[in-house]
Amino acid sequence: MAEAAGGREQPAAGCAPPDAAHRAEEEPEPPSLDAPAAAAGRRRGRRSGVSAVGAAERFPGGSLGPAAAPDTDACLLEAAKATPRRSSIIKDPSNQKCGRKKTVSFSSMPSEKKISSASDCISFMQAGCELKKVRPNSRIYNRFFTLDPDLQALRWEPSKKDLEKAKLDISAIKEIRLGKNTETFRNNGLADQISEDCALSVIHGENYESLDLVANSADVANIWVSGLRYLVSRSKQPLDLMEGSHNTPRFAWLKTVFEAADVDGNGIMLEDTSVELIKKLNPTLKESKIRLKFKEIQKSKEKLTTRVTKEEFCEAFSELCTRPEVYFLLVQISKNKEYLDANDLMLFLEAEQGVTHITEEMCLDIIRRYELSQEGRLKGFLAIDGFTQYLLSPECDIFDPEHKKIVQDMTQPLSHYYINASHNTYLIEDQLRGPADINGYVRALKMSCRSIELDVCDGPDNEPIICNRNNMTSPLAFRNVIEVINKLAFFASEYPLILCLGNHCSVQQQKVMVQHMKRIFGNKLYTEAPLSSEVYLPSPEKLKMKIIVKGKKLPCDQDILEGEVTDEDEEAEISRRLSEDFSREPKLIWLCRELSDLVSLCKSVQYKDFETSMKAQNYWEMCSFSEAEASRIANEYPEDFVNYNKKFLSRVYPSAMRIDSSNLNPQDFWNCGCQIVAMNYQTPGPMMDLHTGWFLQNGGCGYVLRPSVMRDEVSYFSANTKGIVPGVSPQVLHVKIISGQNFPKPKGACAKGDVIDPYVCIEIHGIPADCTEQRTKTVQQNSDNPIFDESFEFQINLPELAMIRFVVLDDDYIGDEFIGQYTIPLECLQPGYRHIPLRSFVGDIMEHVTLFVHIAITNRSGGGKAQKRSLSVRIGKKAREYTMLRNTGLKTIDDIFKLAVHPLREATDMRENMQNAMVSVKELCGLPPIASLKQCILTLSSRLVSSDNAPSVTLCMKDAFPYLEPLGTMPDVQKKVLAAYDLMIQESRVLIETADITHDKIVQCQKAGMEFHEELHNLGTKEGLKGRKLSKAIESFAWNITVLKGQGDLLKNAKNEALENMKQIQLACLSCGLSKTGSGHADAKSKRGLEAIQEKDTRDENGRL
């Protein structure tokens, strides 16, 4: 069989020998993958007739005719890569004859049939289609593959072999892999041009040889993988595929549903009744689509009546309600059954979804809640419809439910948090003509806004008012606004609310303001004088349920009842700065002592420069920056801005030039550590999406803790960093956009009808090094369930500041129209298969409108969150990048830092060696880097089983580490896998046993360096450093401390992850039966080993690490 699958064949065009032209009559020249790729963003005609490329893709088994030249073929191949993928379909086998030209039908009847069962996959494979065959020598061949009618062999043509050799027996197949997960793909020079989602490999023979193939689309690849897996799993059982789909749990359930609705018991039903029944079972379906499906079925059977039989009802429901991508997933995780049992579901949740501490009873509970059939609920299995419902449920939401609670440390100083802030809160329209409206405050406070603005002016009858001074037609009584604020201040969050008071009142009405606030707010009002002995602001935890007034304050050392202070009029300040007479003094206003005394922790002061602020500013004083000024400072002094914001609050407000109340990009200022970035809540759009998405985390309380590198007193971080952040482990975000559901037509769209051409854009927002954007191809004319099946990777250098925005757009000539979006912090992503609930332009959740994705987060070089997968990318020693320490120019300090160079290299090597060993195991198991170790053990266990189902290896605990020992002789292939596994255990052991010593060395150097922190200026002066050189020395010192702290943390995290890996491996081995030796001795020993690992883990947590 190895010869049949791996013999010499005619190479692709461009690689052919001189006599290739003569042999072209026997074997058509395949295309080369070297042709230039079509531009991903190229516009295509909307709703046009079927093009040659479209026809080629829709009919993968067809031919473009004998006249098709190789160049044309190559062009079509490349163009096909840029064309949208269609949903998984199979055609009538009678139309699948090889060589027959396809014709275009203009009938309104649907001609596509979705894959909804194993028999659909088998039918497609028997009809055959073209696949590209990849050889280890980087050559690629076009071949037409079919499945024998008797389901016993896979055949391909053309081939110079005789028909009996150009085949692969199903009985010889060991595994079927989806993706580029073999040596052939990894070593192929053209592998980068092959889509991961279109690649598949058939592993066969005792030596585990591979037949590596590339399909025209991800859907076709999924059909072959699902069909072959089904055949292999049932190779020892008789197959009756004609009856197979009628014996499934789903069909049994649908029969009971039909019979319950068939009140007459005649076995037939009115079409109207059938339509209503299906609509009840699946409310997202359109009635017109259901009726069209019944007409198609009736036409195919040449029926004259519109009454529906039980079989027709089941067929219509299956084709309408089966999502092919969910069906393929179910077959994959159920070991090729058409339902999941509790064990299948448990494995899926643990290995794929990242769920920990899952039990069989929990899985049975999920089945009972989501399975639609009574039989399934009683017997404990989840069929396709129940599984679809589960995947759409809140339990499979992309947002981590842990972050719907307060999960961050709320005892840090107030200046260490980003604070949800509103600008001109009283407006619900633009700031030029918009009237003041009390609903502005209601909306902001219900959205957990923790900093709101009140522009107060003199009103009639000695009552202050809040108004838009550009539109005085609808002022709000200050008293009424205060009452609403008091009622809703802690409706959505119990953490402190800051009132940014824009005071434009006379002294007399200022006193009225004070009376109202004291009477209405009562003891919620925070007026305690700040302690001069403190260095930082109090924490949000300490200020719970308190209202803080921000404003101007009279000097405390002057016993006066009123005095002059600079005006808080932001628009006037901007005008003053833009005027030619910039040196003119700012406008002064009178302030009464009573209002001044209400200001405690947020006293407004003018910003001059960082040098002045760092020397003279008190921790309870804060500056407000216009958008333009903050942008200039962020560009010119990014490191100083971050350091300033470690201690002081900064408020940034939008430019007065934004008369339409458009929003600034808050990320630009969050990157600098600015806590209060005021947003125009009344203006939806991408910037408000970022703001809303960012503050969903930490329980939506309105406070988000900044990354430690932006909080630590001695640390280095630049807002404009273009690369890796010192001491932070970059992560790789893997996103697969699988499909969309029920996309609405864009509001106000000019196109006719309800047809849209959707595509998905993935935006990464964060530090400049992380900001990027990628998009899928467009899916033509499909809003119900467009299949994208495209994978993307993004390196994230500062995960704690990164956000992902998924945007769905309608591809249109005039301008791509918005369909929906969802924005989420990277830290809140759940791994695995997830549905994203899309939001409308104004931010409302759209019912039943979702995006189906797969998420994985892996580490580029260690650390990270264990529950979000383990380590991934292999980095060789020669290509390894070590984080370097900088020379400060201060000999005493540099001598200390030199002692850390070797421990830092040791720490990096230990982490990377363990990573490389893990990647090797995954590769030999035929799994991608994002796979979990549990998936590796499951794959291994299926290989390491003899013909009598006895394991050929056994788990052996040596010093609490899970080794695998062979039981007798083993093939070379299995020996190679076991050797890689042993190396992984050994590298993990080295890290676990030596991490403490290396970590201590790094920490000692850090502590020794920090002892000189207060003396840096004196040491610099002694060394003759001043000015820029002295600043550079201080900056290098902060860089080194950041590196030492960060690398120490990475090593600690890597050790904890390695311990967790050892536990997971042992549990997986136990569950796979690799410890059974005929007596209870091995099991008892294994359990003792697990206890030892847990004890070691606990001991380390309580010890130095």
Side-chain angles (χ1 to χ4, degrees):
M1 293 321 313
E3 288 182 11
R8 294 186 59 190
E9 300 189 38
Q10 185 66 25
C15 304
D19 60 339
H22 173 71
R23 285 184 286 183
E25 296 177 6
E26 292 181 30
E27 297 188 24
E29 295 280 350
S32 167
L33 289 180
D34 286 326
R42 183 178 298 160
R43 292 283 179 265
R44 289 172 292 281
R46 287 171 59 87
R47 306 168 184 89
S48 59
V50 179
S51 65
V53 173
E57 186 172 20
R58 289 189 181 94
F59 307 101
S63 167
L64 293 174
D71 289 343
T72 306
D73 215 3
C75 292
L76 286 177
L77 173 67
E78 289 305 318
K81 285 157 62 177
T83 57
R85 296 189 176 99
R86 299 182 61 80
S87 61
S88 298
I89 56 173
I90 63 171
K91 302 293 181 182
D92 182 349
S94 64
N95 292 330
Q96 284 281 341
K97 294 175 183 176
C98 181
R100 175 175 173 176
K101 274 198 172 183
K102 304 303 174 185
T103 57
V104 179
S105 169
F106 294 95
S107 165
S108 62
M109 300 299 289
S111 60
E112 300 176 358
K113 181 182 177 184
K114 288 184 179 179
I115 297 293
S116 60
S117 67
S119 60
D120 290 341
C121 295
I122 302 301
S123 298
F124 181 92
M125 293 160 62
Q126 287 176 321
C129 75
E130 186 178 87
L131 300 172
K132 290 170 183 63
K133 189 176 176 183
V134 182
R135 294 295 304 277
N137 57 9
S138 296
R139 295 179 179 180
I140 297 176
Y141 307 84
N142 278 349
R143 295 291 178 263
F144 193 87
F145 281 78
T146 56
L147 176 67
D148 276 357
D150 61 1
L151 313 180
Q152 298 302 310
L154 188 64
R155 298 182 185 273
W156 58 91
E157 59 180 16
S159 173
K160 296 200 73 176
K161 302 183 181 74
D162 60 51
L163 291 178
E164 286 307 306
K165 288 189 177 179
K167 72 171 188 175
L168 179 60
D169 289 339
I170 298 299
S171 60
I173 297 176
K174 300 290 188 182
E175 298 173 16
I176 301 93
R177 301 175 185 173
L178 183 62
K180 299 182 288 187
N181 295 312
T182 63
E183 286 295 322
T184 298
F185 276 123
R186 282 192 287 269
N187 298 332
N188 192 294
L190 302 176
D192 290 342
Q193 300 177 40
I194 297 171
S195 168
E196 180 81 24
D197 307 306
C198 296
L200 66 142
S201 300
V202 182
I203 311 301
H204 59 92
E206 294 303 318
N207 292 323
Y208 283 73
E209 296 171 72
S210 65
L211 172 61
D212 300 287
L213 307 170
V214 181
N216 287 338
S217 72
D219 304 314
V220 174
N222 275 317
I223 291 172
W224 281 96
V225 169
S226 299
L228 288 172
R229 283 177 175 169
Y230 184 88
L231 291 172
V232 170
S233 67
R234 285 157 174 73
S235 59
K236 297 180 182 179
Q237 304 171 13
L239 284 169
D240 188 355
L241 289 166
M242 295 304 294
E243 297 298 325
S245 61
H246 293 259
N247 294 326
T248 62
R250 177 195 228 178
F251 190 81
W253 165 65
L254 286 173
K255 281 197 298 185
T256 61
V257 171
F258 183 92
E259 289 163 359
D262 179 18
V263 290
D264 298 330
N266 297 327
I268 57 173
M269 190 183 293
L270 289 172
E271 183 180 300
D272 289 347
T273 308
S274 299
V275 170
E276 286 302 315
L277 187 53
I278 290 180
K279 192 97 174 69
K280 182 180 177 182
L281 294 172
N282 189 344
T284 64
L285 283 175
K286 298 173 185 172
E287 182 178 329
S288 59
K289 189 173 181 180
I290 303 173
R291 292 191 183 278
L292 197 61
K293 177 55 67 178
F294 278 125
K295 285 180 183 177
E296 178 190 356
I297 292 171
Q298 289 156 6
K299 183 180 178 181
S300 68
K301 297 183 178 181
E302 299 181 351
K303 284 180 61 176
L304 298 177
T305 177
T306 58
R307 291 181 178 265
V308 177
T309 66
K310 188 186 303 180
E311 289 72 20
E312 289 167 350
F313 173 80
C314 295
E315 182 183 352
F317 181 89
S318 295
E319 292 190 17
L320 287 168
C321 300
T322 302
R323 286 172 45 190
E325 72 281 18
V326 176
Y327 172 76
F328 292 139
L329 176 61
L330 179 135
V331 171
Q332 174 189 333
I333 62 180
S334 67
K335 302 181 184 67
N336 312 301
K337 304 187 296 290
E338 298 205 348
Y339 61 88
L340 300 175
D341 58 30
N343 287 331
D344 295 328
L345 186 57
M346 187 186 305
L347 176 61
F348 172 68
L349 294 175
E350 286 179 339
E352 197 61 67
Q353 303 293 86
V355 181
T356 55
H357 310 300
I358 193 78
T359 64
E360 184 177 359
E361 183 53 42
M362 292 165 67
C363 294
L364 288 171
D365 179 62
I366 291 172
I367 291 171
R368 285 190 288 267
R369 285 186 287 120
Y370 291 101
E371 173 54 29
L372 300 179
S373 70
Q374 185 177 1
E375 181 190 9
R377 292 193 293 270
L378 290 173
K379 294 183 177 179
F381 62 74
L382 196 62
I384 179 68
D385 302 292
F387 185 52
T388 304
Q389 291 297 315
Y390 172 65
L391 288 176
L392 283 165
S393 73
E395 293 182 53
C396 288
D397 191 84
I398 193 171
F399 193 92
D400 188 343
E402 282 298 307
H403 288 272
K404 293 182 179 179
K405 303 177 289 187
I406 306 296
V407 293
Q408 296 175 350
D409 178 8
M410 301 303 289
T411 62
Q412 301 268 339
L414 207 62
S415 59
H416 287 182
Y417 298 84
Y418 296 113
I419 302 173
N420 190 341
S422 163
H423 178 245
N424 288 351
T425 314
Y426 48 85
L427 292 181
I428 59 170
E429 296 178 25
D430 68 77
Q431 61 189 36
L432 189 62
R433 298 177 300 276
D437 194 308
I438 196 73
N439 288 316
Y441 290 98
V442 174
R443 174 184 56 202
L445 291 170
K446 285 187 174 181
M447 291 176 67
S448 298
C449 185
R450 298 291 84 196
S451 173
I452 59 177
E453 298 183 9
L454 301 90
D455 278 341
V456 194
C457 301
D458 282 352
D461 304 322
N462 200 34
E463 280 292 336
I465 59 171
I466 291 176
C467 63
N468 180 356
R469 282 175 295 147
N470 296 314
N471 182 356
M472 304 286 285
T473 56
S474 57
L476 303 172
F478 177 78
R479 180 184 64 247
N480 294 344
V481 173
I482 291 299
E483 286 175 346
V484 169
I485 292 174
N486 183 60
K487 182 180 178 182
L488 297 174
F490 304 106
F491 172 84
S493 172
E494 59 185 356
Y495 291 101
L497 175 66
I498 300 172
L499 303 186
C500 297
L501 212 57
N503 172 28
H504 312 291
C505 291
S506 61
V507 168
Q508 184 180 0
Q509 293 209 13
Q510 288 177 30
K511 293 179 180 179
V512 177
M513 289 166 55
V514 173
Q515 291 171 8
H516 287 323
M517 285 193 281
K518 284 186 174 181
R519 177 179 59 83
I520 294 170
F521 291 150
N523 60 8
K524 294 177 187 174
L525 207 56
Y526 187 88
T527 56
E528 294 179 23
L531 300 174
S532 56
S533 58
E534 297 289 337
V535 181
Y536 287 96
L537 288 163
S539 69
E541 185 67 29
K542 189 174 181 181
L543 296 170
K544 266 185 180 179
M545 307 298 288
K546 292 296 180 182
I547 294 174
I548 302 167
V549 177
K550 168 198 168 289
K552 288 292 181 179
K553 194 169 177 65
L554 294 173
C556 296
D557 56 355
Q558 296 181 19
D559 188 16
I560 54 175
L561 295 178
E562 55 189 57
E564 285 189 316
V565 293
T566 54
D567 193 0
E568 280 289 287
D569 190 338
E570 293 167 358
E571 287 77 8
E573 174 65 12
I574 293 172
S575 301
R576 183 181 75 84
R577 288 176 175 268
L578 292 176
S579 68
E580 294 181 4
D581 188 16
F582 177 70
S583 59
R584 185 184 64 188
E585 288 297 317
K587 179 184 173 184
L588 298 177
I589 61 168
W590 283 92
L591 178 68
C592 71
R593 172 60 68 181
E594 291 88 341
L595 185 56
S596 172
D597 287 346
L598 292 187
V599 178
S600 171
L601 296 178
C602 293
K603 175 186 174 183
S604 295
V605 296
Q606 290 287 328
Y607 168 78
K608 184 179 179 182
D609 56 56
F610 286 128
E611 186 177 357
T612 303
S613 295
M614 297 303 280
K615 288 180 180 178
Q617 187 172 332
N618 295 306
Y619 71 85
W620 61 83
E621 296 173 336
M622 65 177 289
C623 296
S624 291
F625 301 86
S626 69
E627 178 185 347
E629 185 178 26
S631 296
R632 177 187 62 80
I633 296 170
N635 287 325
E636 295 179 6
Y637 311 104
E639 297 92 345
D640 293 336
F641 212 172
V642 171
N643 286 329
Y644 171 84
N645 286 321
K646 291 176 182 178
K647 185 174 181 181
F648 307 110
L649 287 176
S650 291
R651 174 175 165 271
V652 179
Y653 55 89
S655 167
M657 304 299 180
R658 296 182 181 272
I659 57 175
D660 59 348
S661 289
S662 59
N663 275 307
L664 48 74
N665 185 345
Q667 191 79 51
D668 293 342
F669 306 105
W670 291 335
N671 290 346
C672 301
C674 297
Q675 300 88 350
I676 304 174
V677 182
M679 303 291 288
N680 290 310
Y681 269 56
Q682 71 272 29
T683 309
M687 300 303 104
M688 197 62 203
D689 293 341
L690 292 179
H691 180 270
T692 304
W694 182 248
F695 286 103
L696 288 175
Q697 61 185 309
N698 200 28
C701 72
Y703 285 82
V704 173
L705 189 63
R706 298 209 312 262
S708 60
V709 73
M710 301 174 74
R711 304 191 315 261
D712 294 340
E713 183 182 1
V714 181
S715 62
Y716 176 86
F717 177 75
S718 171
N720 293 339
T721 183
K722 298 292 193 298
I724 293 174
V725 178
V728 177
S729 173
Q731 293 184 340
V732 179
L733 171 65
H734 307 259
V735 179
K736 182 176 183 180
I737 305 294
I738 303 171
S739 63
Q741 290 73 48
N742 310 306
F743 290 164
K745 184 180 176 183
K747 287 190 176 180
C750 56
K752 297 178 182 178
D754 294 327
V755 178
I756 60 172
D757 300 339
Y759 68 91
V760 183
C761 210
I762 308 167
E763 303 170 358
I764 307 295
H765 298 264
I767 61 173
D770 294 340
C771 292
T772 186
E773 176 182 312
Q774 293 195 50
R775 57 156 287 177
T776 66
K777 300 176 180 69
T778 300
V779 174
Q780 302 284 0
Q781 304 184 24
N782 191 336
S783 60
D784 296 333
N785 190 38
I787 303 291
F788 300 99
D789 261 327
E790 290 193 59
S791 300
F792 305 91
E793 284 188 6
F794 305 92
Q795 178 167 311
I796 312 294
N797 293 287
L798 186 55
E800 290 175 277
L801 266 188
M803 271 193 296
I804 301 91
R805 184 169 181 258
F806 300 90
V807 192
V808 182
L809 299 163
D810 183 15
D811 202 339
D812 191 272
Y813 273 127
I814 299 171
D816 296 348
E817 295 165 315
F818 178 89
I819 295 174
Q821 68 83 30
Y822 187 80
T823 307
I824 180 172
L826 181 77
E827 296 286 295
C828 298
L829 284 175
Q830 287 211 92
Y833 290 91
R834 304 289 171 183
H835 278 92
I836 300 174
L838 294 181
R839 294 178 180 265
S840 67
F841 185 73
V842 296
D844 298 328
I845 292 287
M846 296 186 285
E847 192 176 16
H848 304 309
V849 181
T850 55
L851 198 60
F852 188 41
V853 302
H854 181 269
I855 301 291
I857 300 174
T858 57
N859 299 333
R860 197 184 74 88
S861 53
K865 297 191 172 181
Q867 71 271 22
K868 292 189 178 178
R869 295 300 179 78
S870 60
L871 317 166
S872 68
V873 179
R874 187 204 308 246
I875 302 174
K877 263 200 170 183
K878 290 184 180 178
R880 196 166 288 173
E881 295 179 4
Y882 297 96
T883 306
M884 304 301 293
L885 297 175
R886 293 180 177 178
N887 196 329
T888 65
L890 305 172
K891 186 177 183 306
T892 307
I893 295 175
D894 286 338
D895 287 345
I896 292 172
F897 287 141
K898 284 177 183 176
L899 297 175
V901 172
H902 185 65
L904 286 175
R905 291 181 70 91
E906 277 185 341
T908 302
D909 286 339
M910 281 191 288
R911 295 198 323 269
E912 299 290 4
N913 290 343
M914 186 179 73
Q915 311 246 22
N916 291 346
M918 291 176 69
V919 172
S920 294
V921 171
K922 291 176 184 180
E923 287 180 351
L924 289 170
C925 290
L927 296 172
I930 63 173
S932 68
L933 284 178
K934 181 147 192 174
Q935 288 170 316
C936 288
I937 297 300
L938 289 167
T939 303
L940 274 177
S941 66
S942 64
R943 291 187 190 178
L944 302 175
V945 173
S946 61
S947 56
D948 58 353
N949 289 326
S952 57
V953 297
T954 183
L955 176 67
C956 179
M957 299 303 298
K958 296 179 182 177
D959 302 323
F961 288 93
Y963 288 89
L964 292 176
E965 287 192 351
L967 299 173
T969 58
M970 300 182 69
D972 290 342
V973 175
Q974 293 183 4
K975 287 180 181 177
K976 187 176 180 182
V977 176
L978 277 186
Y981 174 87
D982 286 344
L983 180 62
M984 178 183 70
I985 299 298
Q986 190 59 36
E987 295 293 354
S988 300
R989 181 172 185 168
V990 169
L991 190 149
I992 290 169
E993 293 179 345
T994 61
D996 285 349
I997 299 170
T998 305
H999 181 267
D1000 283 349
K1001 292 177 182 176
I1002 294 172
V1003 170
Q1004 286 168 9
C1005 290
Q1006 180 192 348
K1007 288 180 178 177
M1010 282 298 293
E1011 290 178 2
F1012 290 93
H1013 174 230
E1014 302 294 335
E1015 302 295 322
L1016 278 178
H1017 281 85
N1018 293 337
L1019 286 173
T1021 304
K1022 288 180 182 178
E1023 296 281 351
L1025 302 179
K1026 56 184 178 180
R1028 181 60 191 154
K1029 288 186 177 180
L1030 181 58
S1031 298
K1032 193 69 178 174
I1034 295 172
E1035 181 183 295
S1036 297
F1037 177 85
W1039 168 280
N1040 292 346
I1041 294 296
T1042 304
V1043 168
L1044 292 172
K1045 181 181 182 302
Q1047 294 297 315
D1049 289 343
L1050 291 179
L1051 183 59
K1052 178 174 65 176
N1053 292 337
K1055 177 187 174 180
N1056 291 337
E1057 190 165 5
L1059 284 166
E1060 180 63 27
N1061 287 341
M1062 296 302 101
K1063 286 195 289 186
Q1064 292 306 317
I1065 288 172
Q1066 186 178 0
L1067 287 170
C1069 288
L1070 290 170
S1071 66
C1072 293
L1074 295 182
S1075 64
K1076 295 177 182 176
T1077 59
S1079 71
H1081 177 69
D1083 284 340
K1085 188 175 180 182
S1086 297
K1087 289 177 182 177
R1088 286 198 301 273
L1090 183 58
E1091 291 168 0
I1093 293 177
Q1094 291 169 336
E1095 183 182 341
K1096 177 188 270 287
D1097 196 2
T1098 305
R1099 187 171 64 248
D1100 289 331
E1101 285 178 2
N1102 296 330
R1104 287 172 295 178
L1105 290 188

